[in-house]
Amino acid sequence: MNTPVLTIDERHNIEQGAWFSKLSTPLRNAILSRAIVRRHADGTPLASRGGQAEEWCGVARGAVRISSVSLSGKQVTLTYAEPGVWFGDIALFDGLPRTHDADTHGETTLLVVRKPDFKDLLAQHVELYDALLRLNCRRLRLMFNQFEDLNTRPLQARLAKQLLLLAKSYGIAQGEEIRIGLALAQEDLAQLLGASRQRVNQELKGFEREGAVRVEPTRLVVLSREKLLVLAER
């Protein structure tokens, strides 16, 4: 079996991913045997809206920014694919062009399965159809939850919830503090939340006064997960 060369941490991220870890051992091995490892610098373009889909990818390290361009020509970040997340399967299924842009955020390692190998996996492992159906159902539920939050919850609650999610995905424990390892500017957070940078800045200052977070030049540090949970429910 052609096993891709990953570091111990990268392999752990893939194997412990919420979706991949639930697959059967034969299917996990089959995916790994067809995958190649690619390491990219920050800001490397991976896919463009309107382009043809040729690859299915799993994030082993770093992050992939999924974005689109607004009518005014502004790049808008929709989400970040974290370590353990697989993406790119939808356009391989329906054969239509990519719906969004994708580029790396920070140094990123990907496992890449090319389109012919993806099709072979589907043909040889019926389990993969069911697994990808569950994966896309989860994506749809998350999307509906985001729509609901955007329309019913104040920015303070949405920001607190987003910080909790980032701490879960990229948190580095340092004593009682949790440093969010993903470098995000306030503009990046604002795009994720559908708000202005100024309003996000005001809310973060309020979080600092509450003793919930500390804002550093390129990082956010969670000082109290419990206080963020309270803010997320207000």
Side-chain angles (χ1 to χ4, degrees), residues 25-42:
T25 299
L27 179 53
R28 292 199 304 270
N29 289 339
I31 292 172
L32 292 175
S33 72
R34 288 166 173 78
I36 59 175
V37 176
R38 288 187 186 159
R39 291 185 168 85
H40 297 285
D42 178 38

Side-chain angles (χ1 to χ4, degrees), residues 33-219:
S33 72
R34 288 166 173 78
I36 59 175
V37 176
R38 288 187 186 159
R39 291 185 168 85
H40 297 285
D42 178 38
T44 301
L46 302 175
S48 299
R49 183 171 185 168
Q52 291 301 308
E54 297 296 335
E55 296 174 338
W56 179 45
C57 301
V59 183
R61 179 174 70 103
V64 174
R65 184 178 72 144
I66 309 299
S67 62
S68 65
V69 178
S70 68
L71 292 176
S72 64
K74 180 181 179 181
Q75 195 82 8
V76 178
T77 300
L78 302 175
T79 190
Y80 290 89
E82 65 197 57
V85 168
W86 290 77
F87 67 95
D89 48 282
I90 294 176
L92 290 178
F93 265 126
D94 62 20
L96 297 176
R98 296 288 194 194
T99 57
H100 298 93
D101 299 328
D103 58 88
T104 58
H105 187 84
E107 293 185 355
T108 300
T109 302
L110 300 177
L111 276 184
V112 178
V113 178
R114 288 166 291 201
K115 184 176 180 179
D117 292 314
F118 179 78
K119 296 294 186 181
D120 284 345
L121 286 168
L122 288 173
Q124 297 173 23
H125 298 268
V126 177
E127 175 194 350
L128 184 56
Y129 278 101
D130 184 59
L132 288 172
L133 177 60
R134 292 196 308 273
L135 176 61
N136 282 293
C137 286
R138 182 174 182 276
R139 289 170 178 161
L140 191 59
R141 288 177 183 273
L142 289 173
M143 183 180 69
F144 283 145
N145 286 338
Q146 289 174 340
F147 284 154
E148 182 179 0
D149 286 350
L150 186 61
N151 286 285
T152 64
R153 308 188 76 182
L155 177 60
Q156 179 188 76
R158 290 188 282 121
L159 176 57
K161 184 177 179 180
Q162 184 66 61
L163 294 181
L164 287 166
L165 291 172
L166 289 170
K168 180 180 178 181
S169 300
Y170 293 98
I172 303 169
Q174 297 179 333
E176 295 183 357
E177 299 179 353
I178 302 174
R179 179 178 296 273
I180 296 175
L182 186 67
L184 292 179
Q186 291 186 17
E187 179 62 30
D188 296 323
L189 276 175
Q191 290 180 18
L192 285 173
L193 296 164
S196 68
R197 185 193 62 78
Q198 291 79 6
R199 287 193 63 204
V200 168
N201 179 263
Q202 290 172 1
E203 294 295 345
L204 286 173
K205 288 180 178 178
F207 288 7
E208 283 193 297
R209 289 192 295 270
E210 294 269 0
V213 302
R214 182 173 68 250
V215 180
E216 298 183 352
T218 60
R219 292 289 191 277

